[in-house]
Amino acid sequence: MSGHEQPGLIDRLVGVCLRVLGAVLALYVAVYLVQTILWPLMLFIGGGVLIWMGVVVIKTWRERY
């Protein structure tokens, strides 16, 4: 075998199946990480931003009147 031969149909199908399996596993891990880590972090950061915006709005209103 010289190494320049084209892979057979079965070899290509197995390769495609392994790529699909790898993609599914990567998506599963990404969704799991978003659920466990990013949501609480995003809520914490979002709450901080809302509090900061509230303080800015209140200071702006007090300075105008």
Side-chain angles (χ1 to χ4, degrees):
M1 299 191 92
S2 64
H4 296 289
E5 298 173 12
Q6 295 223 353
L9 179 63
I10 299 298
D11 292 332
R12 286 186 280 165
L13 287 176
V14 169
V16 169
C17 289
L18 289 175
R19 286 187 196 117
V20 169
L21 179 63
V24 168
L25 286 174
L27 283 173
Y28 177 79
V29 170
V31 169
Y32 178 77
L33 287 174
V34 166
Q35 286 177 341
T36 58
I37 296 171
L38 291 180
W39 279 116
L41 180 64
M42 287 171 53
L43 290 175
F44 178 73
I45 291 172
V49 168
L50 285 176
I51 291 171
W52 176 75
M53 287 174 60
V55 168
V56 168
V57 167
I58 290 172
K59 282 186 175 185
T60 304
W61 280 348
R62 286 189 179 174
E63 289 176 4
R64 283 188 183 176
Y65 299 110

